Amino acid sequence: MLHSEAYTLVTTSSHHQSLDDYVDVKSGKAYDLNVYLQAALRRQYPELALTSTVDRNVNLLAFAFAGHATATLDIVDESVLRTRYVSGTSVSESRTFAKYLYRWGDEYFIVYVVHISYFETRQYILKEPAEGETTMSMNGKTDELLRAIGKWQIPPPPGDKWVYVYDNGYWFRSRALYEQVKNASWDDVILNEEMKKQITSLMHKFFDSREIYKNLGVPWKRGVIFHGPAGNGKTISIKALMNSLFRSNGLSIPSLYVKSATSTWSIRRVFQQARYMSPCLLIFEDIDTIVTKNTRSYFFNEVDGLENNDGIFMVASTNHLDKLDAGLSSRPSRFDRKYLFPLPSEEERKLYCQFWRRRLKEKKVDVEFPAKICPAAALITDGFSFAYMQEAFVATLLAIALRRSDGDEGEEMEEAWDHSGDDGDKDLDDYELWRELKKTIKALRNDMGNDSGKDKDKSSTEDDAFSKELALEMEAQAPASDPRFFAGQPPLPLGPADSGIGKQLEGPPVRELHVQVDFQNVPIITEENTFVPQTSYLGGSGVPVDYQGASVSIDERTPIQQFE
């Protein structure tokens, strides 16, 4: 029989553990557990730099379980809070407080993963400072790890193509804009041919000249401004420029389109994403609405401050170069070249009419359009922008179509397309298109007079349809809450992974980790260091069950490696 001496009462106390603080605070002492724990960890590890992240933004355990790092649970120097779950002979657990010895390549980290609330799990990363760093500065090695995880979390889906768009405070991806860009061509742009070549050559030479910039010791960045009255080809030229980039480089050099960014917070997000995805084409629409008296200093600092902007080619558009801040329009290190898109000349308006004539012929539209209408239309549209001319043709064709749908066929159509411009002796007024076009142009000119103080721009039905499609994409990828909620996170432009609750909160798209969580929304981890997949939910007994309540074996779990 064993003697009582075998049971020894341990009276010596162990060294301080952060779990003591966790338990103390969870007992109702703190208002903000995150603040309290950061202070506790700094006391416990005064020689290490502390970085705080959330798992929805950058998931260290998922990265390790996928085989890109190792995360060893440390129960020697720290306690762990866990809940065990059983299904048959399989055992798994959730951990609300755990310390890991984390290794990535040749670098070692201490990582605490702490469940703060149902919606938040914090990851505290501790790392020794490098030379020139302090315990209170950002840690270079930690940031390298976060960037590596971020890159892993955002894999480009095979065959999927889009343009990244920033609007209303967050990034989303637009396939609708990509389709418009794909169909845009310099052949459809009525612009000086030499200017087309200059713009295209400047961009392509920039992306092909990284080593040249490096050898010269100058920053590998450039910027151009497209300016001029509204509706004269700036937007279509940007799309044609993007298309030429797609054709030559595929998606290896992404295009980032900034539609609105009216705060310093948004400007920060824009440049974070551009730096993360460089080399890239960064486009600012109506930059005069982005660089204002409230944001100018911050924008300038992002463009040519201390941070590295290598590989970023900026294109900005504005209808009001005269109203643009001189620090933006006149300083070469920010935007080196300016290209004017003026109102079209009579010859350019004639070319635009010929473009519409070819378009209607290709589509076999049943409207007689003789060649002599082109110079006549160019003559009476003096002062019109391309946008107004487009509206003239669209409105004219719609009026003709609506009148015919009401039963008024107008004059009999002749096979004018087969005459190759030989219009015989017919007067211009004999053509239905010309009569309707004159009425439309007169109405638009009156409209221009009434809007003399406004931008002379018009939106076609096609543009309206695109705007609606873009709005639907934006709404579908909108954050579940105010995106500024994440402003306190590490400076990584990543969308948080789906941890099993709600939808993805940010774009761009991330590797979705549909994992099983317990009643506290804490991921369940198996003994083999894999997540239980989200094919089931936990029943009242704590056992994984399907939607009918039937038990699901944890042996059917999916390792994270299969998400690669």
Side-chain angles (χ1 to χ4, degrees), residues 9 50 56 77 86 204 215 290 295 346 350 380 429 509 527 529 535:
L9 179 64
L50 174 64
R56 289 181 300 171
D77 295 323
V86 175
H204 287 293
N215 293 337
I290 296 172
T295 62
E346 183 178 338
K350 178 181 175 182
I380 65 172
D429 287 333
E527 293 180 319
N529 273 350
T535 55

Side-chain angles (χ1 to χ4, degrees), residues 180-181 183-197 199-200 226 231-244 340-342 344 347-349 351-353 355-356 358-359 386 390:
Q180 280 219 346
V181 168
N183 295 325
S185 169
W186 281 116
D187 295 336
D188 299 333
V189 180
I190 309 299
L191 190 67
N192 180 281
E193 290 298 324
E194 183 60 31
M195 187 168 157
K196 289 182 188 179
K197 292 178 182 178
I199 294 172
T200 308
F226 292 174
N232 287 305
K234 296 187 292 295
T235 299
I236 185 62
S237 294
I238 288 174
K239 290 177 182 177
L241 190 65
M242 294 164 68
N243 188 23
S244 69
L340 173 63
F341 288 73
E347 180 62 25
E348 288 172 331
R349 296 196 301 275
L351 290 173
Y352 187 76
C353 294
F355 162 78
W356 270 94
R358 290 193 303 272
R359 185 176 184 180
F386 286 123
Q390 174 179 284

Side-chain angles (χ1 to χ4, degrees), residues 447-460:
D447 184 38
M448 290 169 62
N450 293 333
D451 294 337
S452 59
K454 303 176 184 178
D455 289 340
K456 296 182 177 66
D457 201 353
K458 284 287 178 180
S459 297
S460 68

Side-chain angles (χ1 to χ4, degrees), residues 394-406:
V394 170
T396 295
L397 293 170
L398 284 174
I400 293 173
L402 290 172
R403 186 166 55 249
R404 291 180 181 179
S405 68
D406 292 336

Side-chain angles (χ1 to χ4, degrees), residues 418-472:
D418 296 330
H419 294 310
S420 302
D422 180 11
D423 305 318
D425 297 327
K426 293 180 68 173
D427 293 331
L428 282 173
D429 287 333
D430 291 335
Y431 298 99
E432 181 184 20
L433 176 66
W434 173 249
R435 295 196 303 270
E436 193 64 45
L437 188 61
K438 281 197 303 180
K439 289 191 293 185
T440 303
I441 289 171
K442 183 179 180 180
L444 287 173
R445 192 170 292 283
N446 290 334
D447 184 38
M448 290 169 62
N450 293 333
D451 294 337
S452 59
K454 303 176 184 178
D455 289 340
K456 296 182 177 66
D457 201 353
K458 284 287 178 180
S459 297
S460 68
T461 303
E462 183 179 333
D463 291 335
D464 290 339
F466 166 70
S467 296
K468 291 177 181 177
E469 189 172 358
L470 194 67
L472 288 173

Side-chain angles (χ1 to χ4, degrees), residues 157-170:
D160 210 354
K161 299 176 181 179
W162 57 72
V163 174
Y164 289 106
V165 179
Y166 188 86
D167 192 16
N168 201 31
Y170 62 94

Side-chain angles (χ1 to χ4, degrees), residues 253-296:
I253 300 180
S255 294
L256 282 68
Y257 177 73
V258 183
K259 192 171 183 181
S260 68
T262 57
S263 67
T264 56
W265 182 86
S266 288
I267 290 170
R268 177 63 175 165
R269 295 281 292 176
V270 164
F271 279 95
Q272 282 178 329
Q273 187 77 2
R275 293 181 190 115
Y276 178 77
M277 302 191 75
S278 67
C280 66
L281 178 63
L282 179 60
I283 299 156
F284 294 97
E285 181 183 33
D286 295 327
I287 195 170
D288 46 291
T289 65
I290 296 172
V291 182
T292 65
K293 62 180 182 180
N294 295 324
T295 62
R296 62 182 300 277

